[in-house]
Amino acid sequence: MDVSLTAAHWVYLGGIIVILATMLMRKNIVVPAVIGTFLTAFVFSDSLVTGLASIFNASLVAARELFNIFLIISLVTAMLGALRQMGADRLMVAPFRRVMRGGTSSFIVLAVVTYTISLFFWPTPAVPLIGAVLIPVAIRAGLPPMAVGMAIAICGQGMALSSDYIIKVAPGLSAKSAGVDPDVVADRALVMSLIVGVTALLIAYFTQRRHMRRPAPELLSDWESRAESDFGKPVGDAPDSGATPTGGGAIARVPAQAATSAAPPTSTAVLAEPVTASARQVIDDTFKSIRAAKTFAVLVPTAYLAFIVYLMVGKFTDLVPDLKGGDAAAMVGGIAALILFAAAATNDKKGFLETTSEHLIDGLVFAFKAMGIVIPIAGFFFIGNGDFSAAILGLPADATGPTLLFDLVNAAQSHLPQNAFVTSFGILAIGMIAGLEGSGFTGLPLTGSLAGALGPAVGMDPATLAAIGQMGNIWSGGGTLVAWSSLIAVAGFARVPVLELARKCFVPVVSGLVLSTAVSVLIF
């Protein structure tokens, strides 16, 4: 089909090129995206008023479409804040320390626990939690610090975040821009993420295996001593497991239940003189808080495990309804909200109404800090999508908006190789470039839009291309390949140079991405 390109098409194309170039320079792309939105709307409508209004309308449309994502992040983060307050977050991973007896077992346990926690709660809370409880055990068991960092980065920032199968933020962003079903994108992204992750883990294990040593307490002492000299802060000085390392600041390794270590002196005092009512109250409150933490440490995994079982039963049988993307995400949020209320009431019976609100506010602040940058960027790419462009440009409700991106791809078809492999690896490369800005999510509207436009042209399902682009975005920028991403936190806890960790992850991750892309073209 012949497509007549207008000045607005060329301006929009120029905006995409500028955004990609800005990403390559590792700069923030919000300003180019907003200016691109303004210029595209202004040239299309030949109206300065429409151009200025489009800046607001684009972000408004994007916010309306994406707010469910912000809300689910807020609720899960608020729940984790309440759990952290009582120490239940540490207790959830404590049992895994018993099986970390050597380098290999520690590598496997770190991988499994990181993937599990990150899949349900994202890597942000997983990294400090594992850094506080499991990393010292792994070091003592003979696992080298570099292997620790690689295992956590690959399984958390890479494998779990790239599929985002439970919370479904990433599949939602990709699918919305591609115009496809989020559940299809999520299912394919899960398969691809497992291929990339297992490939990267195997390569990482065999390259680090020769550095593993016999378990010894001296290994932990040497690691701590090196941490003090390298980072200037003794291990154990950080306030809590929810802190984020800055410059490698360490996190306290004492589990929450260690509070009971104060019991022996109190018991000795009991033999000498009667316990006062206030002292007895303190003792009772301490044991109640420990019991509450243990209860929630069992309750939370059990609740989400039951939810996973429900999802699987609904997907493969007719016994229960099959929950789709939006319904499944709503269930995750609902469970998180109820656990938040229960945990807040347990922590502070008298003031739990206020503390619950504080946790929710913290969750919303975190969500907008982590994802707010996506809104104006998504607005730019939405103006090239016919489903949203009419609202952004202020056209009547029954008007059809311009399909700028689709028109550009259509016009370029005769110059593009009609080959699924070339297109797939092209989308992967664009995703990896988009991920260079360091978050892993801001490029998803771009790769999703390209997938929706290029898929029909080469005879591929746009959902598959969107998932491939998602892999490139998040494995690159989510925290495995670029040192200015959340990989900094992983390196800080593992006590390794972040640039060296990024270099060590490069070959395993890129090998996995190439394999997963090739397999996806063949099987989907």
Side-chain angles (χ1 to χ4, degrees):
M1 181 179 63
D2 292 332
V3 178
S4 178
L5 299 183
T6 65
H9 288 89
W10 293 111
V11 170
Y12 187 71
L13 177 61
I16 294 175
I17 294 172
V18 170
I19 286 175
L20 287 175
T22 307
M23 287 176 173
L24 282 172
M25 293 186 293
R26 303 198 301 271
K27 302 296 184 180
N28 195 293
I29 62 173
V30 170
V31 173
V34 171
I35 293 176
T37 302
F38 164 73
L39 291 177
T40 302
F42 172 64
V43 172
F44 175 83
S45 63
D46 198 23
S47 167
L48 181 62
V49 173
T50 300
L52 291 172
S54 69
I55 297 175
F56 175 81
N57 289 338
S59 292
L60 180 63
V61 170
R64 185 168 60 238
E65 293 295 324
L66 303 178
F67 184 71
N68 62 320
I69 293 172
F70 285 78
L71 192 57
I72 187 69
I73 296 173
S74 303
L75 290 171
V76 171
T77 303
M79 177 193 70
L80 288 174
L83 295 177
R84 187 181 299 115
Q85 186 176 349
M86 67 170 61
D89 58 339
R90 292 171 178 242
L91 292 179
M92 283 193 291
V93 298
F96 292 99
R97 293 183 296 177
R98 300 173 186 172
V99 297
M100 299 172 70
R101 303 295 185 184
T104 299
S105 62
S106 296
F107 187 86
I108 294 172
V109 170
L110 276 178
V112 172
V113 175
T114 301
Y115 180 71
T116 303
I117 295 177
S118 300
L119 196 63
F120 283 89
F121 307 123
W122 275 18
T124 302
V127 172
L129 178 57
I130 292 166
V133 181
L134 295 185
I135 287 182
V137 182
I139 297 294
R140 189 184 187 280
L143 191 64
M146 186 58 69
V148 168
M150 293 176 74
I152 294 174
I154 290 170
C155 291
Q157 275 74 3
M159 188 160 57
L161 190 61
S162 65
S163 68
D164 197 12
Y165 195 70
I166 302 301
I167 302 179
K168 295 189 176 179
V169 172
L173 285 169
S174 297
K176 181 69 69 176
S177 300
V180 295
D181 186 353
D183 288 318
V184 178
V185 176
D187 290 342
R188 294 180 184 180
L190 177 64
V191 175
M192 295 178 196
S193 69
L194 291 173
I195 294 173
V196 182
V198 171
T199 302
L201 281 175
L202 288 174
I203 296 175
Y205 173 77
F206 285 109
T207 55
Q208 293 294 313
R209 187 178 182 182
R210 63 181 182 275
H211 301 297
M212 294 181 183
R213 301 169 65 181
R214 292 182 178 274
E218 293 78 14
L219 297 175
L220 182 57
S221 300
D222 293 344
W223 180 71
E224 291 176 338
S225 300
R226 185 179 65 183
E228 290 187 28
S229 62
D230 289 348
F231 299 99
K233 185 174 182 180
V235 173
D237 279 359
D240 58 58
S241 64
T244 310
T246 56
I251 292 297
R253 299 189 322 278
V254 182
Q257 65 268 39
T260 57
S261 60
T266 305
S267 301
T268 304
V270 170
L271 298 177
E273 58 184 80
V275 180
T276 64
S278 60
R280 187 178 298 280
Q281 183 64 43
V282 170
I283 295 172
D284 290 343
D285 290 344
T286 300
F287 280 102
K288 286 180 181 178
S289 64
I290 294 171
R291 286 196 299 269
K294 290 181 177 179
T295 300
F296 278 89
V298 174
L299 172 64
V300 175
T302 301
Y304 279 105
L305 179 61
F307 175 60
I308 290 297
V309 172
Y310 183 92
L311 287 179
M312 299 304 291
V313 171
K315 182 176 286 289
F316 297 109
T317 72
D318 296 327
L319 297 177
V320 297
D322 182 15
L323 295 180
K324 298 299 180 183
D327 295 332
M331 285 284 289
V332 172
I335 293 171
L338 290 180
I339 293 175
L340 163 65
F341 299 156
T346 303
N347 290 331
D348 184 8
K349 291 182 175 60
K350 294 182 179 179
F352 91 96
L353 294 176
E354 286 71 25
T355 55
T356 300
S357 299
E358 291 171 2
H359 287 306
L360 282 172
I361 292 171
D362 290 341
L364 284 166
V365 169
F366 170 80
F368 277 89
K369 280 185 176 180
M371 297 292 297
I373 193 175
V374 173
I375 290 178
I377 298 168
F380 170 75
F381 291 105
F382 280 4
I383 202 174
N385 187 320
D387 293 335
F388 308 108
S389 59
I392 295 173
L393 293 168
L395 301 178
D398 57 346
T400 301
T403 55
L404 300 176
L405 183 61
F406 181 79
D407 292 344
L408 286 168
V409 173
N410 238 3
Q413 278 188 40
S414 59
H415 305 288
L416 296 174
Q418 301 297 305
N419 184 285
F421 274 94
V422 173
T423 302
S424 297
F425 279 98
I427 292 287
L428 176 66
I430 291 173
M432 294 178 70
I433 293 171
L436 291 178
E437 45 74 44
S439 78
F441 283 81
T442 54
L444 293 178
L446 169 59
T447 53
S449 298
L450 289 175
L454 287 171
V458 296
M460 279 193 68
D461 188 343
T464 300
L465 285 178
I468 291 173
Q470 183 175 309
M471 292 297 106
N473 271 287
I474 297 180
W475 278 95
S476 173
T480 61
L481 297 182
V482 295
W484 49 90
S485 65
S486 59
L487 191 65
I488 295 172
V490 178
F493 281 104
R495 303 293 177 261
V496 295
V498 65
L499 289 174
E500 182 66 17
L501 179 57
R503 282 194 293 268
K504 292 289 186 182
C505 288
F506 183 81
V507 171
V509 169
V510 172
S511 300
L513 286 171
V514 171
L515 177 62
S516 117
T517 302
V519 171
S520 299
V521 175
L522 295 174
I523 66 175
F524 292 129

